[in-house]
Amino acid sequence: MNTAGPPVPAGGPGPLAGLLPPWAAGAEELGPGPQPWLYAEEDEQLAEGVVGARWTEFAAARRCARRALLGLGAAPGPLLRGNRGEPLWPAGVVGSITHRAGYRAAVVGPAGATAALGIDAEPAVALRPGVLRRIALPGEHAGLAALPSVPGLPWDTLLFCAKEAAYKAWYPLARVPLGFHSAEVRFHPERSAVTVRPVGVRPAAGRANGRPYAAAGAPPPSPPAGSSPSPGSPAAPGGAAGLPLLEGGYAAADGLLLVLLTAAAPRTLPPPPRTAARCASNRS
């Protein structure tokens, strides 16, 4: 089911469909949604004490991921996590998940179509004082200052959102620490687009030279000591060899920012039907 338009109360369409590449499938859920559930294997991976709202958001996001995978024709099953919390997608699939209070979404695509996907959603409120200084590169400060004022679109938080999405796209390829300064973001407001360039990142051995994540969904090797699951750690030294430029779009409506990124110049592949489904089933 295709959905498009701004986020509205539960049961209505959301912003994901307008951002999906033609070869991708996605699912989103707005509002509280039906009662979620997890496979036993997924539940066992969560730390003890993860209950209440956190458990519900995680489980609802996994439901969206299962529905997105159905859009690619993948069989349902547990979606486990890697050593740094990243989803371990089925073989031949790349994807990304985002969840926060009131909104969950997942997007997937064939590994033959793209090497990377990243999605992130954030509330459309300005960053706290001092945060922008810590996450933005000098050129990004200047770029933000030149952007037009748009009601309901805090550019500083959209920058944060784009960097989070870039981390999710790149980490399965890099397998090394990534920081906010590892990504240089440029917005193109005339077409609601964004590009992200890797800065100062050298992927771990065996992931360089532009090679895709060879066994999507297979348990990856353990990351180097000191790596971080969020883009808050210092960038790894060296060049950006092996990590692709990311391109995508953004949406801002009803208090939500959404960014979807994919590796530039995806491989040629016959596209499956483009789908963005609401997560409306108790079991999917």
Side-chain angles (χ1 to χ4, degrees), residues 53-54 56-62 97-105 119-121 168:
R54 288 186 61 197
T56 299
E57 290 298 319
F58 179 88
R62 279 302 193 267
I97 298 173
T98 187
H99 61 89
R100 60 185 44 262
Y103 185 80
R104 283 74 58 186
I119 190 172
D120 191 64
K168 296 176 186 179

Side-chain angles (χ1 to χ4, degrees), residues 94-272:
V94 294
S96 185
I97 298 173
T98 187
H99 61 89
R100 60 185 44 262
Y103 185 80
R104 283 74 58 186
V107 61
V108 294
T114 187
L117 277 169
I119 190 172
D120 191 64
E122 301 292 340
V125 296
L127 295 176
R128 297 190 306 273
V131 174
L132 181 62
R133 183 183 69 252
R134 297 197 298 271
I135 71 168
L137 296 164
E140 291 173 331
H141 282 281
L144 291 180
L147 292 170
S149 177
V150 179
L153 199 169
W155 291 109
D156 57 349
T157 305
L158 192 65
L159 178 77
F160 177 91
C161 190
K163 290 188 179 229
E164 290 278 352
Y167 171 84
K168 296 176 186 179
W170 282 334
Y171 182 72
L173 299 172
R175 317 305 302 178
V176 296
L178 298 169
F180 286 111
H181 291 179
S182 302
E184 182 180 62
V185 177
R186 181 179 179 184
F187 295 113
H188 311 278
E190 70 281 358
R191 49 192 174 92
S192 298
V194 57
T195 56
V196 186
R197 182 177 69 88
V199 178
V201 180
R202 187 181 300 279
R207 302 292 180 186
N209 302 320
R211 292 168 56 187
Y213 186 30
S222 299
S227 63
S228 170
S230 66
S233 59
L243 292 185
L245 178 75
L246 301 174
E247 297 178 331
Y250 61 84
D254 285 5
L256 177 76
L257 302 176
L258 185 68
V259 173
L260 174 60
L261 299 172
T262 183
R267 300 170 181 83
T268 301
L269 190 79

